[in-house]
Amino acid sequence: MTDASPRHDAHRGDVALFMAIAFTASWAAWAAAIGLSASSSPLTGAFHMLGAFGPLLGALVIRVRRGRRGRPVPERAVRFRRASLAWTPSLLAGASGLVLAAAFIAHAAGGPAPSLDGAMDVMKDYGGPAAFLVGLLIGGPLTEEPGWRGTAYPRMRATLGRFQVSLVLGAIWAVWHLPLFFIDGTVQNDLGLACPSGVLFTVSAVPMAMLCCYAYERAGVLASIAVHFATNATMVLLDVREPVTLAMITGIQAVVAVALLAIVRPADRPAPAPAAPRLQGAASAH
């Protein structure tokens, strides 16, 4: 008997702990932001940003815990390699291109024309182009991907298939974002949770998760950060709000994600587990 079951139990325990930390830390900070929204406190933005660090905090706790217990890196984990840098430009362009293509198709179907007219205003609100890029990077991809993809995904993949993990993780990710609908000044709050645009935004977390999972399998956390960042940046700069555009983006992302996960196999296949040693005159399991 091998140690597969204990290892899988450890992975499940790590995932449960990660989820508890990510949700508790993020939702506690966002609850404070919601409470401060009514008073127009300048601290609202600070707690909003602080909440984004929940998944990163969970990832760090799991990493330290694994090191202290002497556990190996999960088999499905994709480590950083220099080759990952070569994937980044194409993933940035591809993720952004999907949003742009969907926006133009939506326009052809009667939706609003894609426009960058408000892009300068958006960057001005952030404090300039540099602050916009940094804020958008920290406020989502950099603080989320090491947790959702870098920590939860490889551990869930130990017992579940690619589609199963992507769908489950996408649904959890969507629920994690829900408090943002109640914080003044957020994109989610402007869309409205009970409105078609808000519902579509929530649903879009699933194909987004599938794309990020595919990117992670190809080139690790850096790749999933690239996909996450490019998608967010393009949607913010285009000021995507209309249901027809959001529906088209969600649909095209879903089709592409399903195709990629079905056709393109992971770049790194896990090494087969070593056979349990057999001791002469003794049982192989205790």
Side-chain angles (χ1 to χ4, degrees):
M1 180 177 180
T2 68
D3 63 344
S5 294
R7 185 166 59 247
H8 293 166
D9 289 342
H11 288 334
R12 283 190 286 268
D14 284 347
V15 171
L17 179 59
F18 164 76
M19 295 293 179
I21 294 171
F23 273 84
T24 300
S26 295
W27 282 19
W30 289 339
I34 293 170
L36 292 168
S37 291
S39 62
S40 301
S41 171
L43 291 176
T44 300
F47 278 106
H48 171 212
M49 181 64 73
L50 184 62
F53 285 82
L56 181 59
L57 176 62
L60 291 173
V61 170
I62 298 303
R63 176 69 178 269
V64 171
R65 186 169 179 254
R66 179 181 63 77
R68 288 183 175 177
R69 297 189 175 190
R71 292 177 183 166
V73 175
E75 290 181 349
R76 297 284 182 172
V78 181
R79 303 189 187 194
F80 173 79
R81 295 191 177 98
R82 290 186 179 180
S84 302
L85 297 173
W87 275 91
T88 304
S90 59
L91 289 170
L92 284 168
S96 182
L98 282 180
V99 176
L100 285 170
F104 279 107
I105 295 173
H107 174 53
S115 173
L116 292 173
D117 290 343
M120 293 306 297
D121 292 335
V122 170
M123 289 188 281
K124 184 178 179 180
D125 291 340
Y126 269 86
F132 168 75
L133 293 175
V134 172
L136 208 62
L137 183 62
I138 295 177
L142 199 61
T143 54
E144 295 182 34
E145 292 306 316
W148 300 117
R149 256 58 67 177
T151 300
Y153 183 76
R155 289 166 173 80
M156 294 172 71
R157 277 287 281 121
T159 54
L160 298 173
R162 305 169 87 192
F163 282 100
Q164 290 175 301
V165 177
S166 298
L167 292 172
V168 171
L169 206 51
I172 294 172
W173 201 23
V175 172
W176 178 78
H177 279 92
L178 289 181
L180 295 176
F181 283 95
F182 305 98
I183 301 176
D184 288 343
T186 63
V187 173
Q188 293 87 347
N189 184 260
D190 292 340
L191 294 176
L193 180 59
C195 299
S197 293
V199 173
L200 286 166
F201 179 90
T202 300
V203 172
S204 71
V206 175
M208 261 291 289
M210 296 173 74
L211 288 173
C212 288
C213 288
Y214 161 78
Y216 173 76
E217 285 191 341
R218 297 305 302 171
V221 171
L222 181 63
S224 64
I225 288 175
V227 169
H228 191 161
F229 173 78
T231 302
N232 283 2
T234 307
M235 292 185 69
V236 170
L237 291 175
L238 291 178
D239 194 23
V240 176
R241 297 174 184 269
E242 293 299 318
V244 62
T245 308
L246 284 167
M248 190 63 67
I249 291 172
T250 301
I252 288 180
Q253 285 181 331
V255 170
V256 172
V258 169
L260 288 172
L261 289 174
I263 298 172
V264 184
R265 304 313 304 164
D268 291 337
R269 294 180 181 274
R278 300 184 63 181
L279 302 179
Q280 186 175 1
S284 61
H286 298 278

